[in-house]
C-alpha cells in the first residue's frame, strides 16, 4: 500500500494528520511526501518544498527552502515502524524540469546531498534520509529524466546503509508525455500509475468489460518495454471523492478490482492512494481485503 501525503487534499484546516500518525497504520508500506515542487529557485538555485501546512519551519538563510524539523522527526519514527518514505518531485503545479542531461545529473547530486545519503548544511529533514525519490512529472518536457534517474542510481550503488528506490507516477494514458523516455531508458522500481483524472481511470473499470481502463497495457509495457522488466505497477486511485476530479470509486469496487488485477497481471504491485486525509478528527482508513502480496 502506497499513500501520498502532504497536500491537505480534503480542503479543511486540520484535515491532514502529521506524517507519523499514518505510520501507525499497519496497512501502509510506503508514504510519499508531496511535493518538491520547484527544482531551481531563482533566489538561490536550490529546490523548494511545499507540504501545504505540514511544515511550519523557517527558511534556510538566503533561500526559499524550508526547514521541516517535525517532518524530519516523523520520518525517523516511520522508518523505525518499518515504513519507507519517498520524496515526490513535481506535482500538478510548480516550476520544474531540465534543459539538458548535464543539468539533470547535477540536480541528482543536489538532491542526494539535501535529502539522501550525502551532506549539506541546508537539509530540510536534517539527518533523516529518505528511502527513495518519486517522479510525479505533469508538466514541462521529458528532457533529462533518464539521466537524472541513472545519476541517482550511481549514488545508490555506493550507499551501503540501506536499500534506496525510485518510483514514477505516470498518468494512465500511454505513452506518458513526460516519463515514457525515462521509463524505457532508466531503472525504476515502481510505477504508481494515476488511474484518475483521465479517460482510462478507475471509473472505467469493471470485472467483465475493461472499456478504456488500461492496466493490461501497463502490464505489457512493464514486462516488455520498460528498462526494468521486473518493475511493479501500482493501481493509483483517489483516496476520496475530493482528492481527484474524476475516477474515484468506492472501497467495495476497489477491493473487487484489486483482486481481479492481482490474479490476472503478474506486474501488479499493490494500491497507491492519493492523498491521505482525515475528517472531523477521525482518520478515514481504506482497508483492502485481497490476499497478501509477495
Amino acid at each position: 500500500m502506497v499513500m501520498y501525503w502532504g497536500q491537505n487534499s480534503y480542503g479543511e484546516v486540520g484535515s491532514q494528520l502529521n506524517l507519523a500518525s499514518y505510520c501507525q497504520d499497519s496497512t501502509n508500506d510506503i508514504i510519499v511526501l508531496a511535493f518538491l515542487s520547484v527544482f531551481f529557485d531563482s533566489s538561490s538555485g536550490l529546490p523548494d518544498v511545499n507540504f501545504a501546512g505540514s511544515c511550519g519551519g523557517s527558511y534556510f538563510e538566503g533561500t526559499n527552502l524550508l526547514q521541516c524539523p517535525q517532518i524530519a522527526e516523523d520520518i525517523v519514527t516511520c522508518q523505525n515502524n518499518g515504513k519507507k518514505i519517498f520524496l515526490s518531485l513535481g506535482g500538478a503545479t510548480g516550476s520544474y524540469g531540465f534543459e539538458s542531461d548535464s543539468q539533470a545529473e547535477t540536480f541528482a547530486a543536489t538532491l542526494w546531498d539535501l535529502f539522501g545519503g550525502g551532506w549539506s548544511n541546508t537539509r530540510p529533514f536534517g539527518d533523516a534520509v529518505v528511502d527513495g525519490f518519486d517522479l510525479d512529472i505533469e508538466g514541462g518536457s521529458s528532457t533529462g529524466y533518464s539521466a537524472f534517474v541513472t545519476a541517482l542510481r550511481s549514488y545508490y550503488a555506493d550507499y551501503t546503509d540501506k536499500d534506496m528506490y525510485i518510483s514514477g507516477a505516470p498518468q494512465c494514458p500511454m505513452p506518458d508525455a513526460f516519463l515514457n523516455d525515462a521509463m524505457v531508458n532508466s531503472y525504476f522500481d515502481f510505477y504508481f500509475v494515476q488511474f484518475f483524472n483521465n479517460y482510462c481511470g478507475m471509473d472505467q473499470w469493471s470485472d467483465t468489460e475493461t472499456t478504456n481502463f488500461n492496466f493490461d497495457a501497463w502490464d505489457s509495457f512493464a514486462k516488455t518495454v520498460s528498462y526494468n522488466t521486473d518493475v511493479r505497477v501500482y493501481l493509483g486511485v483517489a483516496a476520496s471523492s475530493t482528492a481527484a476530479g474524476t475516477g474515484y470509486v468506492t472501497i467495495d469496487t476497489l477491493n473487487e478490482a484489486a483482486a481481479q488485477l492481482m490474479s490476472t497481471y503478474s506486474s501488479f504491485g499493490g494500491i497507491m492512494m492519493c492523498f491521505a486525509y482525515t475528517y472531523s478528527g477521525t482518520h478515514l482508513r481504506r482497508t483492502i481485503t485481497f490476499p497478501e502480496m509477495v
Side-chain angles (χ1 to χ4, degrees), residues 159-242:
Y159 188 65
T160 58
D161 288 11
K162 61 180 178 180
D163 292 333
M164 300 284 293
Y165 303 92
I166 294 176
S167 60
Q171 307 289 311
C172 58
M174 301 184 70
D176 185 81
F178 307 108
L179 287 180
N180 188 73
D181 176 74
M183 293 186 293
V184 171
N185 292 296
S186 58
Y187 194 106
F188 286 76
D189 297 285
F190 314 115
Y191 297 151
F192 303 147
V193 183
Q194 298 183 42
F195 289 98
F196 50 87
N197 291 339
N198 285 293
Y199 68 88
C200 42
M202 266 302 299
D203 52 336
Q204 294 294 306
W205 177 84
S206 77
D207 60 354
T208 57
E209 183 181 3
T210 60
T211 62
N212 289 324
F213 183 74
N214 65 343
F215 197 98
D216 57 340
W218 279 99
D219 176 74
S220 177
F221 176 87
K223 292 186 288 192
T224 63
V225 181
S226 176
Y227 185 91
N228 174 19
T229 54
D230 291 322
V231 66
R232 292 292 182 172
V233 181
Y234 283 65
L235 179 66
V237 301
S240 78
S241 59
T242 61

Side-chain angles (χ1 to χ4, degrees), residues 26 63 80 126 135 150 182-183 270 287:
S26 62
T63 78
N80 287 339
L135 292 175
T150 300
M183 293 186 293
T287 303

